[in-house]
Amino acid sequence: MTAPPPDAGVVRALEGRTDPAQPPPPPPGGPRPSERTLRLLTVAVVALSAALLTGRAWLLALAAAPLVLLALSLPRAHPRRVETTATVEPSRCFEGDTVTLRVSVAHDGDAVRLDPGVTLGPGLRLDEVVVGPSTVTLRHTALHWGRWSLGPVDLDVYDAGGTVRRTVRVAEQEVAVFPHAAQARFTPIPVRLPQRLGEHASPQAGEGIEVIGVAPWVPGERQRRIHWPSTTRRGSVQLHRFAAERAADTVMLIDAFGDVVDPVTGLSSLDETVRAATGLTRAYLRTHDRVGVVSTGGTTRWLAPGTGDAAFYRIVESVLDVRKDRRFDAPGLERLPPPALPEGALVYVFTPLSDARMLKVLRDLQERGRRPVVVEIPSGDPQVEPGDTAGELGLRLWHAERDAMRFALRDSGVPVVRHVVGESLDLALAPLLSGRIGGRGRAG
């Protein structure tokens, strides 16, 4: 579905200023002649010059007419003090939602006319411009996740006659756009679980619901469920033994060292990485597990594992700082902070495997005794022109290098699963359910 063509108000407000890397220069201060005033003065000067050069008096009438119109339009009191207030609704939203920037103008003097000029930031599309007597409303559509700047907006304030104008700049406003989460329900668990109540079956006996064996009844023990076949065969009361239920600690490690765009589909690897990590985060939080996040690259941040809806939004807010107006401001970490990786935590690494620094991060995890799970996000194959022998050879070497990278990771004990964009993340995680991650055993 394509976006509707912009109306005249949107085109006039943008005036081609859509590149956030080149904002317009600061507007001049104080009042100055408007475009209408300059046009009238130009006509008067040309007519007066023609009258002086040709000696024809009737040309003076042509010079007098625009001067009379200009004199009648001069304001009795043009605004000398202009104050603006900007609000963004909502300041947090999801991809595809509408974001409204409302600018209110307070001034002294007579009535004024407002004319906005907008420098559109990345990740947003300007859909509508509504100009009122003292307000300007700009409606945008959030196209991509991230923290995006709205503005700056240069507001031209004209007097009632349109002869004098002042330009005030409305400071940039910021909106946080959350990503749409990928579909995920499976929650693989590690061999060792913390001693904390949860919903995953542990190898230890406890007060869970999953049966792990049968044992004789001990006086004083609560009889939850009698195993009648064993009781009849042995002549003594035999009880079911249940697994203790524990919660898992999970850390989502996001590779933000770069953003690889598929040359065929145009999909962003960073977009798909964040969507997949967000979907798996929701799946673990639904089972009351604790989830943390670490982002390497861009603005590197980390959050210790937490649980609940509040933890989900804290995680997403932290991930949004990875990309601010499509800028990557820092080289990122290659060694993760110890508090971000609790003992026994299961670490998911979402990466396109396109940056060698990510291999150093994985090596650091293994040196600390962690066995991460690599979720590979496809970045697409480089395009090769038909008949380009050197290009085809380079593509084969590129495939061989990536195959060797996957083999080296699997050979060192790191599971590598491949997430296909557009499919459920559960299809990639399904092989992990055959056993507990990090050792042998039956999945709970």
Side-chain angles (χ1 to χ4, degrees):
M1 181 177 180
T2 59
D7 56 21
V10 172
V11 174
R12 176 175 172 78
L14 289 176
E15 294 179 349
R17 297 182 295 181
T18 59
D19 188 358
Q22 298 178 353
R32 63 190 189 277
S34 67
E35 299 90 340
R36 180 171 183 267
T37 300
L38 294 177
R39 287 195 297 268
L40 291 175
L41 289 176
T42 301
V43 173
V45 170
V46 171
L48 184 60
S49 301
L52 294 176
L53 292 175
T54 62
R56 298 180 180 179
W58 63 270
L59 291 175
L60 295 176
L62 295 179
L67 292 177
V68 171
L69 291 176
L70 184 60
L72 294 175
S73 302
L74 288 176
R76 291 188 299 270
H78 62 81
R80 299 180 182 275
R81 181 182 57 84
V82 179
E83 296 180 354
T84 60
T85 303
T87 57
V88 178
E89 297 177 358
S91 59
R92 296 178 178 86
C93 65
F94 284 89
E95 294 173 308
D97 290 350
T98 298
V99 180
T100 302
L101 173 63
R102 184 171 290 104
V103 180
S104 301
V105 180
H107 60 87
D108 54 1
D110 298 333
V112 298
R113 180 173 63 87
L114 305 177
D115 185 18
V118 180
T119 301
L120 189 62
L124 298 164
R125 183 184 68 232
L126 182 60
D127 295 328
E128 185 181 10
V129 178
V130 179
V131 179
S134 60
T135 60
V136 175
T137 303
L138 308 173
R139 293 188 176 90
H140 305 75
T141 296
L143 301 178
H144 306 287
W145 67 269
R147 293 192 186 276
W148 307 119
S149 298
L150 297 172
V153 178
D154 290 334
L155 198 60
D156 289 335
V157 182
Y158 294 85
D159 63 276
T163 58
V164 179
R165 69 167 173 168
R166 300 172 62 99
T167 302
V168 293
R169 171 159 292 183
V170 181
E172 294 184 0
Q173 305 296 312
E174 187 177 272
V175 60
V177 181
F178 293 169
H180 285 301
Q183 295 295 326
R185 295 182 298 108
F186 293 161
T187 54
I189 58 176
V191 171
R192 297 180 180 178
L193 289 168
Q195 296 297 320
R196 189 174 53 253
L197 295 179
E199 298 185 11
H200 297 297
S202 171
Q204 293 82 21
E207 296 295 324
I209 60 174
E210 182 172 334
V211 178
I212 60 174
V214 178
W217 173 73
V218 178
E221 183 181 10
R222 183 166 66 95
Q223 296 185 11
R224 290 187 58 187
R225 190 187 301 172
I226 298 177
H227 188 257
W228 289 108
S230 298
T231 299
T232 303
R233 184 172 58 253
R234 298 181 182 180
S236 60
V237 178
Q238 304 290 318
L239 301 181
H240 286 282
R241 296 300 180 191
F242 298 89
E245 293 188 340
R246 298 287 184 256
D249 283 341
T250 311
V251 176
M252 307 296 168
L253 198 157
I254 296 175
D255 178 3
F257 283 116
D259 190 2
V260 182
V261 178
D262 192 321
V264 177
T265 63
L267 295 176
S268 162
S269 65
L270 185 57
D271 284 349
E272 300 305 324
T273 294
V274 171
R275 291 190 180 108
T278 305
L280 192 57
T281 296
R282 276 188 166 175
Y284 273 99
L285 290 177
R286 278 196 296 264
T287 57
H288 306 289
D289 293 323
R290 298 201 315 165
V291 182
V293 65
V294 181
S295 59
T296 60
T299 304
T300 303
R301 292 196 175 188
W302 62 272
L303 284 177
T307 187
D309 291 339
F312 172 75
Y313 286 105
R314 284 197 303 269
I315 289 172
V316 176
E317 288 276 1
S318 173
V319 171
L320 294 185
D321 289 330
V322 168
R323 183 173 64 187
K324 173 69 170 65
D325 287 345
R326 299 197 184 282
R327 295 194 302 268
F328 296 87
D329 298 327
L333 294 177
E334 295 177 1
R335 181 172 178 81
L336 305 182
L341 301 172
E343 186 67 28
L346 177 59
V347 182
Y348 286 94
V349 182
F350 295 86
T351 173
L353 292 178
S354 60
D355 197 304
R357 289 175 292 181
M358 201 63 213
L359 298 181
K360 296 181 181 179
V361 174
L362 293 172
R363 191 177 303 114
D364 175 60
L365 288 173
Q366 291 181 290
E367 290 175 354
R368 298 188 193 186
R370 306 291 196 278
R371 183 167 294 181
V373 176
V374 174
V375 181
E376 182 183 358
I377 306 297
S379 57
D381 294 342
Q383 286 185 313
V384 178
E385 297 294 333
D388 185 358
T389 306
E392 293 176 356
L393 179 60
L395 183 60
R396 291 177 58 187
L397 292 175
W398 187 78
H399 284 154
E401 182 180 358
R402 295 179 69 84
D403 290 340
M405 188 184 306
R406 298 187 191 100
F407 175 80
L409 290 173
R410 293 190 176 106
D411 188 58
S412 63
V414 177
V416 180
V417 297
R418 186 177 176 87
H419 171 52
V420 179
V421 177
E423 294 184 357
S424 173
L425 190 59
D426 293 337
L427 295 178
L429 299 179
L432 302 178
L433 299 178
S434 60
R436 295 181 184 270
I437 302 174
R440 298 178 180 178
R442 182 174 53 85

